[in-house]
Amino acid sequence: MADLDAGVVELDALSRILPLPYRLATVLVLGIWLWGVNLQVLHDHGIDTPSLIRYPARAGPPPHLSVYRFATALSSPILASLGTYWLITHGCQKELVVATNVLPNLTLLLVVALAFLIPQRWLYPRQLWPAAGRTRLLNTLRRISIGGLARTEDGKFGDVLLADALTSYARIFSDIYIAAYMMLTRRSTTGPLDRSSIWTVPIILAFPFLIRFRQCIADNQPFNALKYATACPAIAFSVMLRLQRGTPAEGRTAVIWFVALLVNALYSFWWDVTKDWGLTLLTTKRVSPEYPYGLRRTLIFCNPAYYYGIIFVDFLLRLALALKLSPHLEHFYEVEGGIFLLEVLEVCRRFLWVFFRVETEWVRTRHSSDVVLGDIGPKLDDD
């Protein structure tokens, strides 16, 4: 870990207002809030997401309310700590910000502990901490962290959704490493950040993609595995660019890196639209009198404009967010806001992706007569 020794990023306005530990805690909790919105909107459209992920039916409030309570419990210490931090730093004065890093660090550690580490029996009030849902989340994380995958009847689709979500958090995981390393070496996480890691950060970026790659290979899905495999060359050539900076080989490597980045973004976009969402836009079946252009026969979200809009947004964000696979570009980030924006946009892209991915699985499960879906995208357990 001694490779974090150069390339310090100077303190900018965002870093003074919202230091790295607060940004990380915020994005982690944002994902939980958005999952609650996913569940609520899908429920309102008649899609029983818990049944798809084999979450046991139970009496009580709908699942999205439990998620909102969980997110509220995690948001409260962030908001309280952030307000205290702003008071202590007298409106985020630079000198006070650099000296005040204990509070943000403790807040990040507390949020992570509350979400993933503290035993359920120690958490109060109990209605804010969904015991069954939190236990299911932790068990699933343990299983997929080594590339495992549940059987279909045990919630395989839920494993796939969570493992895919981890790829969207790859950049955030690398930032958590940076924050943890700076804490352990007693360097201020509210001061200038050191993003010069040559090896550790790229490995962390690649790890969620390798998890999904292993799952797909174990599940006999070679073309799906290829999608995640294409992330690795982009990361590898980015590392080479950092090592070759200022050498004659830099230009050639930059071209190869750009091509690798483009292949990953375009193939991932094609897979989103054609396989994950079961739409015909990028196939020869895009024109049919039975459904709107490029879509499919069964649409739970009735307005075709929703589909076209999210396809367009997904395309733009896939191209822009390919930069998250490029650790060498961190050297050129003038402000931390650029990295934070990438992280937030990727979480929001995943939020939009979930709507159509769950809808498609629901249609495949409940509408087996949908010939279009049957032709271009088999069911999950047959993929």
Side-chain angles (χ1 to χ4, degrees):
M1 297 192 180
D3 51 4
L4 278 170
D5 57 4
V8 172
V9 179
E10 291 300 325
L11 202 60
D12 62 291
L14 179 66
S15 296
R16 294 197 297 271
I17 298 171
L18 201 66
L20 179 62
Y22 285 130
R23 297 199 298 272
L24 294 174
T26 298
V27 178
L28 284 172
V29 177
L30 173 64
I32 299 174
W33 278 109
L34 293 180
W35 172 240
V37 175
N38 284 140
L39 290 175
Q40 181 175 6
V41 173
L42 291 167
H43 176 267
D44 291 345
H45 283 80
I47 297 177
D48 186 5
T49 307
S51 72
L52 288 177
I53 63 176
R54 302 300 192 268
Y55 187 76
R58 57 187 176 83
H64 63 266
L65 289 182
S66 296
V67 175
Y68 288 152
R69 290 171 182 170
F70 186 40
T72 299
L74 295 176
S75 300
S76 299
I78 298 175
L79 294 175
S81 175
L82 194 55
T84 305
Y85 165 82
W86 287 336
L87 288 174
I88 293 174
T89 58
H90 298 271
C92 308
Q93 294 181 21
K94 182 176 180 179
E95 296 77 12
L96 294 175
V97 164
V98 174
T100 308
N101 67 95
V102 174
L103 185 59
N105 291 347
L106 289 177
T107 303
L108 175 59
L109 294 173
L110 177 61
V111 169
V112 172
L114 289 173
F116 306 110
L117 302 177
I118 298 177
Q120 188 73 29
R121 63 182 180 274
W122 294 355
L123 298 174
Y124 295 93
R126 295 196 181 279
Q127 61 267 27
L128 291 179
W129 308 96
R134 187 169 178 265
T135 301
R136 171 71 177 269
L137 171 64
L138 297 179
N139 288 338
T140 304
L141 281 173
R142 280 191 288 268
R143 181 169 54 248
I144 68 176
S145 64
I146 56 174
L149 196 63
R151 294 176 299 180
T152 301
E153 61 271 20
D154 294 329
K156 175 181 174 182
F157 183 55
D159 285 17
V160 170
L161 286 179
L162 184 57
D164 269 327
L166 293 185
T167 65
S168 294
Y169 275 82
R171 169 65 64 178
I172 297 160
F173 294 149
S174 70
D175 272 0
I176 290 176
Y177 158 76
I178 290 172
Y181 181 79
M182 295 184 75
M183 290 180 202
L184 291 173
T185 55
R186 299 184 180 181
R187 300 164 69 179
S188 175
T189 56
T190 57
L193 298 178
D194 192 338
R195 294 182 172 275
S196 61
S197 173
I198 293 180
W199 303 113
T200 310
V201 164
I203 290 172
I204 294 173
L205 284 175
F207 189 69
F209 296 94
L210 294 176
I211 288 175
R212 282 296 288 131
F213 176 81
R214 186 182 186 281
Q215 288 178 331
C216 293
I217 292 298
D219 203 34
N220 194 28
Q221 300 181 30
F223 294 107
N224 198 4
L226 182 62
K227 178 182 72 171
Y228 300 101
T230 60
C232 294
I235 296 171
F237 284 112
S238 179
V239 173
M240 291 179 62
L241 273 176
R242 172 172 285 183
L243 296 173
Q244 294 175 351
R245 189 169 292 139
T247 68
E250 182 181 7
R252 181 174 62 254
T253 303
V255 173
I256 299 174
W257 161 77
F258 180 76
V259 171
L261 209 66
L262 201 59
V263 168
N264 172 260
L266 294 179
Y267 187 61
S268 297
F269 171 70
W270 176 83
W271 194 276
D272 285 346
V273 174
T274 306
K275 293 296 186 179
D276 287 343
W277 298 343
L279 303 178
T280 60
L281 182 64
L282 304 178
T283 75
T284 57
K285 300 178 181 180
R286 66 179 66 90
V287 179
S288 172
E290 298 182 2
Y291 48 82
Y293 178 83
L295 303 184
R296 51 175 144 78
R297 185 179 301 118
T298 304
L299 302 175
I300 303 297
F301 304 100
C302 298
N303 189 344
Y306 295 153
Y307 295 83
Y308 297 132
I310 292 184
I311 289 171
F312 179 69
V313 170
D314 187 71
F315 176 72
L316 292 182
L317 292 183
R318 275 293 187 186
L319 292 176
L321 297 172
L323 298 177
K324 74 178 187 291
L325 302 178
S326 307
H328 80 282
L329 292 181
E330 291 172 344
H331 180 76
F332 300 102
Y333 291 157
E334 295 297 332
V335 293
E336 286 291 305
I339 300 174
F340 183 56
L341 180 61
L342 283 178
E343 293 171 348
V344 172
L345 286 176
E346 174 58 16
V347 171
C348 291
R349 188 199 67 79
R350 182 63 60 184
F351 160 70
L352 296 174
W353 174 90
V354 165
F355 285 120
F356 291 166
R357 180 65 186 92
V358 174
E359 178 216 26
T360 302
E361 194 63 24
W362 182 257
V363 171
R364 284 170 172 161
T365 303
R366 299 295 188 273
H367 298 271
S368 58
S369 62
D370 193 325
V371 177
V372 175
L373 278 174
D375 288 346
I376 68 170
K379 289 183 181 180
L380 179 69
D381 51 348
D382 297 328
D383 195 1

